[in-house]
């Protein structure tokens, strides 16, 4: 049985703040040049939650049901993605120049297979040059890295736990050692490849450290454990530092691809450690609005970029506040529809076997 996680509003709030930073970066890259770091926040949160839940399941049952885990991930991620790809395909057929359709088609197939980050590298797409590019699916690279982690990390985790069967504390320490080793290797790859900015930014190996920072946190701060180990003031300071980096850092910072990205991941881990369990989270993370945004953050991330790319001044005849209002309304509308009629119904649907596969 999967380890249970009580609802943690602060984690929803953290996701909400992070997705707003990413959206703001895509809308106003000059105003929030480091907003792309919100993606790293998602990575750390995902690594923490997935590892914590798997470890909790192992403690409760003595094993990990990989098939059930992967089915849960599929039910959570795939339905909304299928709808997104269908809508983008229709929009591309209606509005895209013929010479760009092949790129959109390739991006869609890569997104469907969760290899969008490697597809972007193979195609020579630069992330920081593509914020105004023609592809409405360029943002799927980060989901690809997460999904690759979801496939491989549970296998590694299970192998480590089997070697330490029956030894709860020692098993967790072994997982921590593996996660720490992975962080070192990933940061080393990041530093070695920093001369190729796109390779360093898109690579699963170079971005893995953020997910593993979350995984390492889960071994020392198990799901449901009290967060009082980190003083609330320290968690707030870490959040402020992270938010400041969204305004002050850009991709040209020489230190970003050496210590910058790992430092941001560590700051996010401090925020999580101070917020979960019995800790007092920074107020912004438990505000009703940020929690609500966080609960639909997956849909917001999926829909915001295609909306920005499709609803251009040329197609809408709008600019400034009018265009921003239209984009916001369409993004929120599609997000709510996806959450209400696609994501939640599929997650609650109790079917197995062939019906679930269909």
């Amino acid at each position: 049985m999967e380890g249970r996680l009580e609802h943690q509003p602060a984690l929803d709030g953290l996701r909400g703040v992070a997705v707003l930073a990413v959206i703001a970066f895509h809308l106003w890259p000059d105003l929030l040049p480091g907003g792309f770091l919100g993606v790293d926040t998602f990575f750390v949160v995902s690594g923490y939650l997935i590892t914590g839940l798997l470890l909790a399941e192992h403690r409760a049952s003595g094993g990990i049901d990989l098939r059930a885990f992967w089915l849960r991930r599929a039910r959570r991620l795939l339905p909304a993605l299928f709808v997104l790809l269908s809508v983008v395909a229709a929009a591309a057929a209606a509005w895209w120049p013929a010479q760009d359709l092949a790129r959109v088609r390739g991006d869609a197939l890569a997104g469907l297979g969760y290899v969008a980050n490697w597809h972007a590298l193979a195609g020579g797409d630069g992330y920081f040059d593509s914020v105004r590019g023609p592809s409405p699916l360029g943002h799927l690279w980060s989901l690809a890295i997460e999904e690759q982690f979801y496939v491989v990390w549970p296998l590694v985790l299970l192998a480590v736990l089997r070697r330490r069967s029956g030894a709860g504390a020692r098993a967790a320490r072994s997982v921590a050692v593996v996660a720490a080793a992975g962080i070192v290797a990933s940061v080393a790859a990041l530093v070695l490849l920093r001369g190729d900015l796109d390779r360093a930014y898109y690579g699963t190996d170079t971005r893995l450290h953020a997910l593993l920072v979350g995984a390492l946190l889960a071994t020392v701060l198990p799901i449901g454990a009290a967060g009082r180990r980190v003083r609330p003031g320290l968690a707030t300071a870490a959040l402020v530092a992270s938010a400041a980096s969204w305004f002050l850092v850009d991709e040209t910072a020489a230190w970003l691809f050496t210590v910058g990205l790992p430092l941001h991941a560590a700051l996010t881990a401090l925020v999580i450690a101070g917020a979960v369990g019995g800790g007092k989270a920074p107020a912004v993370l438990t505000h009703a609005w940020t929690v609500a945004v966080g609960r639909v953050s997956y849909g917001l991330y999926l829909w915001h970029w295609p909306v920005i790319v499709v609803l251009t001044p040329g197609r809408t005849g709008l600019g400034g506040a009018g265009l921003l209002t239209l984009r916001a309304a369409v993004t929120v509308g599609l997000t709510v529809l996806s959450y209400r009629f696609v994501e939640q119904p599929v997650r609650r649907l109790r079917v197995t076997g062939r019906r679930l596969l269909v």
Side-chain angles (χ1 to χ4, degrees), residues 194 230 255 311 346:
R194 69 187 185 280
V230 172
W255 54 273
L311 298 182
V346 171

Side-chain angles (χ1 to χ4, degrees), residues 76 79-81 83-84 296 298-300 302-303 331-346:
R76 175 68 184 96
L81 179 65
V83 174
L84 172 79
V296 298
Y298 177 58
L300 277 174
L302 278 182
W303 289 107
T331 299
V332 171
L334 290 171
T335 298
V336 171
L337 289 173
S338 173
Y339 185 80
R340 174 66 178 82
F341 296 107
V342 179
E343 298 170 51
Q344 290 304 301
V346 171

Side-chain angles (χ1 to χ4, degrees), residues 109-121 140-141 143-145 148:
L109 291 173
L112 188 62
Y114 286 105
V115 292
N117 59 322
W118 298 113
H119 172 74
L121 278 171
L140 297 184
W141 70 271
L143 300 181
I145 291 177
Q148 291 160 31

Side-chain angles (χ1 to χ4, degrees), residues 190-275:
L190 180 71
V191 173
L192 290 173
L193 294 168
R194 69 187 185 280
D196 185 345
L197 185 147
D198 295 326
R199 174 64 178 83
Y201 194 83
Y202 278 130
T204 304
D205 51 351
T206 52
R207 305 308 296 276
L208 183 62
H209 66 272
L211 287 149
L212 290 178
V213 165
L216 180 61
L217 177 64
T219 67
V220 298
L221 186 65
I223 293 293
R228 287 186 292 271
R229 300 179 191 181
V230 172
R231 293 180 180 275
L234 182 57
T236 300
L239 180 62
V240 169
S242 295
S245 70
W246 302 341
F247 289 91
L248 302 175
V249 175
D250 62 44
E251 74 275 11
T252 64
W255 54 273
L256 180 64
F257 291 92
T258 53
V259 299
L261 292 177
L263 177 59
H264 188 272
L267 290 172
T268 301
L270 283 175
V271 175
I272 296 171

Side-chain angles (χ1 to χ4, degrees), residues 24-346:
F25 168 70
H26 285 156
L27 286 170
W28 307 289
D30 294 331
L31 177 64
L32 206 72
F36 60 88
L37 290 169
V39 171
D40 292 70
T41 300
F42 274 100
F43 285 164
V44 179
V45 173
S46 295
Y48 171 73
L49 288 175
I50 293 304
T51 304
L53 288 171
L54 291 174
L55 288 175
E57 179 182 356
H58 186 267
R59 286 194 301 271
S61 66
I64 295 175
D65 188 339
L66 292 177
R67 179 176 178 273
F69 168 78
W70 286 324
L71 282 176
R72 287 192 297 271
R73 289 293 84 204
R75 286 166 69 118
R76 175 68 184 96
L77 300 175
L78 289 178
L81 179 65
F82 290 158
V83 174
L84 172 79
L85 294 178
S86 300
V87 172
V88 167
W95 291 317
W96 249 242
Q99 63 269 23
D100 290 333
L101 289 178
R103 177 183 177 183
V104 176
R105 186 180 303 114
D107 289 348
L109 291 173
L112 188 62
Y114 286 105
V115 292
N117 59 322
W118 298 113
H119 172 74
L121 278 171
D125 296 337
Y127 176 74
F128 298 105
D129 297 327
S130 68
V131 288
R132 297 180 182 87
S135 176
L137 300 173
H139 64 317
L140 297 184
W141 70 271
S142 63
L143 300 181
I145 291 177
E146 287 202 25
E147 190 65 16
Q148 291 160 31
F149 176 78
Y150 295 155
V151 170
V152 176
W153 180 242
L155 294 172
V156 174
L157 201 64
L158 186 59
V160 173
L161 292 173
R162 280 179 174 173
R163 289 176 60 88
R164 295 292 185 181
S165 179
R170 283 190 296 161
R173 284 196 294 270
S174 297
V175 173
V177 169
V178 172
I183 292 169
V184 171
S186 178
V187 172
L190 180 71
V191 173
L192 290 173
L193 294 168
R194 69 187 185 280
D196 185 345
L197 185 147
D198 295 326
R199 174 64 178 83
Y201 194 83
Y202 278 130
T204 304
D205 51 351
T206 52
R207 305 308 296 276
L208 183 62
H209 66 272
L211 287 149
L212 290 178
V213 165
L216 180 61
L217 177 64
T219 67
V220 298
L221 186 65
I223 293 293
R228 287 186 292 271
R229 300 179 191 181
V230 172
R231 293 180 180 275
L234 182 57
T236 300
L239 180 62
V240 169
S242 295
S245 70
W246 302 341
F247 289 91
L248 302 175
V249 175
D250 62 44
E251 74 275 11
T252 64
W255 54 273
L256 180 64
F257 291 92
T258 53
V259 299
L261 292 177
L263 177 59
H264 188 272
L267 290 172
T268 301
L270 283 175
V271 175
I272 296 171
V276 299
K280 181 177 175 58
V284 68
L285 300 186
T286 54
H287 191 280
W289 279 104
T290 52
V291 171
V293 171
R295 295 188 71 174
V296 298
S297 58
Y298 177 58
L300 277 174
Y301 185 80
L302 278 182
W303 289 107
H304 84 281
W305 179 243
V307 168
I308 291 173
V309 172
V310 171
L311 298 182
T312 61
R315 291 193 181 100
T316 64
L318 297 173
L323 180 60
L324 176 62
T325 301
L326 177 63
R327 285 170 165 175
V330 173
T331 299
V332 171
L334 290 171
T335 298
V336 171
L337 289 173
S338 173
Y339 185 80
R340 174 66 178 82
F341 296 107
V342 179
E343 298 170 51
Q344 290 304 301
V346 171

